[in-house]
Amino acid sequence: MNKLMGLYELKQMQLPTIQWKVFTDETKLDDDMLWTIRSAVYRGSDLNLPRKVGVNSLDAMNFAIELCKAMKDDGIVIYYPYFVAIKSGTIEVAAEKIVIEAVKADLWNLVSGSKKDVTYWIAGDEEKTDGDKDFLTEREKKDLLRYVKEIKRIFRSDLTEGKSILLEWSIAQNCDLERNPLGEEYLVFYEMRSL
């Protein structure tokens, strides 16, 4: 499963996920919000694809139009409202274990900056921790883990073949045009792939 398939799978699952849409010639973006523009390819490498995160509607529209031209028929351009990440990470679900990695703020601190506040390894009733074991609250961990059962049900054949499912997540808040957080925190998943 690549990034594009993962986006469609997330949309159909019972997980809280980004409300993305495909960018088209008819798309109009609200000027009162910040936007994220991403791309996904049908085939080939889907790592480090062009993106703009947390930009105003004019910059988002211009970037998306140019990205659509560059991608042609090789993939799609998607958009969704930007959110402020309070904590982010990955959760890897395998047949016999679950691994949660978490970092303060944006996921890019983990994947690009190689920073990590904590890793939890869970196998049955055993749990090991590397880092700040209290970084995620018990409720935050429980919120992440409650979706594992559905992931295991949906991807049972992949898991029995020895593959694992990797999801990217954030504990997020909506924000204003100056990136000031607004409203309640919520959990959101925004990427999924098989390993």
Side-chain angles (χ1 to χ4, degrees), residues 35-69:
W35 295 93
T36 296
I37 307 293
R38 293 177 54 193
S39 54
V41 294
Y42 298 126
R43 284 177 286 295
S45 175
D46 63 354
L47 300 175
N48 300 315
L49 294 173
R51 66 185 173 277
K52 286 276 186 186
V53 177
V55 295
N56 65 45
S57 59
L58 179 61
D59 290 344
M61 287 289 295
N62 290 336
F63 180 75
I65 290 167
E66 291 305 312
L67 190 53
C68 285
K69 289 178 189 174

Side-chain angles (χ1 to χ4, degrees), residues 120-136:
Y120 303 97
W121 291 273
I122 304 163
D125 291 336
E126 287 189 49
E127 181 177 317
K128 295 180 183 175
T129 305
D130 180 31
D132 179 2
K133 69 179 179 86
D134 297 321
F135 180 73
L136 292 180

